[in-house]
Amino acid sequence: MRQIEILTRRTIKLYLRNPLAILFSFVYMLLFLVLITLFLGDYMAQGMKEAYASVVGMDFSAMRWLVDATAMAGVLMINCILVPLNVLTIMVEDSTTQKLDSFLVSSVSRSKLAVGYWLSPFLVGMIMNTVCLFIAEGFIVMNGGKWLCLSETLQVIGLITVNTFSTTSILFVAALLIKKTQLYNTFTGIMSALVGFITGAFLPIGMFPSNIQKLFAFMPAHHGATMMREVMTKDAFGAVFGNVTDQMVKESFMTAEEIAEIYQSENGIIYMLGSIRFGFPLMFAVVIGSGILFLVIGCVLMRKQMRR
């Protein structure tokens, strides 16, 4: 345990010593906060009001709260990816400078070495994203929303932990395979560009073609974002759709549940694969299962490096 602690503390200190690395980890959150504050939040809320103007019983005064909660859940998932991604740069740099080789020929077991390198991005990601949750909640309240209740806050913190566990394990394997700093920097750039689409933060899933939407079933990060949206938007969604009843909408009869489900599926609050809805337990199993699987793969890869 002492060896794991030393390696973990070393990696965390190296990460925190670089202010640019920390800034780049949260660049999307800062960008979203600026854009939503200036114009994007009002624009999205107004667009939803126009799209659902024919639905009787909706409380559009809470629409901005719902839009902000949906957006912030996606941003938190982005952070669950980008923070571990940037912390793992240190392991890749150790590989490039052959410091990792020095550790590999030492008396430290490969399992402890793998856990030490994995644990630092997981801990940094979990702690920093928990802080970001309260920043996001403060932003929502500032724009007229409400704080999450204690149970919902604990649920989101739990989901941050699970999502960070999954993304850290997946990215840990990627970092072990890439090994070179220059290639990893390229990989980081590609991931930074794609992460907003994978989590549904840039575009709601309903805007993607149906074939593309099916691919999200294999992306743990998308399920993680969906679960956080489901929890973070629960109160806001109830405020907006709570009084909607069965009615005619554009010459078609729809139940209140169908109207709500359409909004939720189009905006990534729930995930539908065709007519099949992925329930919370299934999405949770995909996220936690992928984390366990890739952590095991990472330990195996570290052992193979020892034999070379």
Side-chain angles (χ1 to χ4, degrees):
M1 288 298 295
R2 178 63 177 169
Q3 295 168 325
I4 294 175
E5 179 186 351
I6 292 173
L7 184 58
T8 302
R9 290 175 58 186
R10 167 188 174 270
T11 306
I12 292 175
K13 286 180 179 179
L14 288 174
Y15 171 74
L16 296 178
R17 196 179 297 171
N18 188 350
L20 283 178
I22 299 174
L23 176 62
F24 288 142
S25 297
F26 299 103
V27 66
Y28 275 115
M29 183 168 195
L30 297 174
L31 179 62
F32 263 80
L33 289 177
V34 171
L35 291 177
I36 291 176
T37 300
L38 292 179
F39 66 91
L40 194 57
D42 290 334
Y43 174 79
M44 294 172 65
Q46 184 60 36
M48 292 301 175
K49 290 177 183 178
E50 294 175 358
Y52 287 82
S54 60
V55 178
V56 178
M58 293 188 65
D59 182 3
F60 290 113
S61 65
M63 183 57 77
R64 177 62 192 270
W65 176 18
L66 179 57
V67 167
D68 285 346
T70 303
M72 287 300 102
V75 171
L76 285 174
M77 189 62 227
I78 289 177
N79 288 344
C80 288
I81 298 173
L82 292 186
V83 175
L85 180 68
N86 282 280
V87 178
L88 283 166
T89 302
I90 296 169
M91 186 182 77
V92 179
E93 290 174 349
D94 285 347
S95 179
T96 303
T97 58
Q98 298 183 338
K99 291 180 181 178
L100 180 57
D101 292 340
S102 300
F103 292 134
L104 288 170
V105 298
S106 69
S107 59
V108 182
S109 70
R110 301 298 84 90
S111 296
K112 290 181 178 179
L113 192 60
V115 171
Y117 271 119
W118 175 89
L119 192 59
S120 47
F122 170 69
L123 290 176
V124 172
M126 182 181 65
I127 294 171
M128 287 192 169
N129 286 316
T130 299
V131 174
C132 286
L133 167 63
F134 293 102
I135 295 174
E137 281 298 294
F139 171 79
I140 292 171
V141 172
M142 182 181 68
N143 288 318
K146 296 180 182 179
W147 292 97
L148 293 174
C149 67
L150 178 59
S151 63
E152 290 169 342
T153 300
L154 293 176
Q155 286 181 61
V156 177
I157 292 174
L159 289 174
I160 287 173
T161 303
V162 170
N163 286 324
T164 306
F165 168 75
S166 175
T167 56
T168 300
S169 299
I170 294 171
L171 294 171
F172 177 67
V173 171
L176 282 172
L177 293 174
I178 294 174
K179 299 181 183 178
K180 301 297 181 182
T181 303
Q182 186 174 2
L183 289 176
Y184 191 78
N185 289 338
T186 302
F187 173 72
T188 299
I190 294 172
M191 284 300 299
S192 297
L194 293 178
V195 68
F197 298 99
I198 293 173
T199 60
F202 285 176
L203 289 175
I205 185 174
M207 297 186 67
F208 288 94
S210 58
N211 290 335
I212 300 298
Q213 292 183 26
K214 294 177 182 178
L215 295 178
F216 287 120
F218 305 98
M219 298 180 184
H222 183 266
H223 294 304
T226 302
M227 288 191 293
M228 286 205 286
R229 286 193 196 97
E230 187 172 342
V231 175
M232 290 184 66
T233 63
K234 182 179 180 181
D235 293 339
F237 188 82
V240 175
F241 285 85
N243 294 322
V244 173
T245 58
D246 302 349
Q247 58 189 277
M248 295 292 295
V249 180
K250 297 180 180 179
E251 300 182 355
S252 298
F253 181 79
M254 301 181 69
T255 64
E257 291 76 14
E258 289 173 335
I259 296 172
E261 189 175 89
I262 289 174
Y263 181 92
Q264 289 176 313
S265 62
E266 288 181 345
N267 290 276
I269 299 174
I270 62 174
Y271 176 62
M272 302 288 295
L273 183 61
S275 59
I276 302 173
R277 175 176 174 175
F278 271 49
F280 200 96
L282 178 57
M283 290 189 291
F284 186 88
V286 170
V287 173
I288 197 72
S290 64
I292 295 172
L293 174 62
F294 278 87
L295 180 58
V296 172
I297 292 174
C299 291
V300 171
L301 290 176
M302 189 70 80
R303 284 182 175 276
K304 286 186 177 181
Q305 287 189 11
M306 174 193 67
R307 298 191 186 100
R308 292 177 183 175

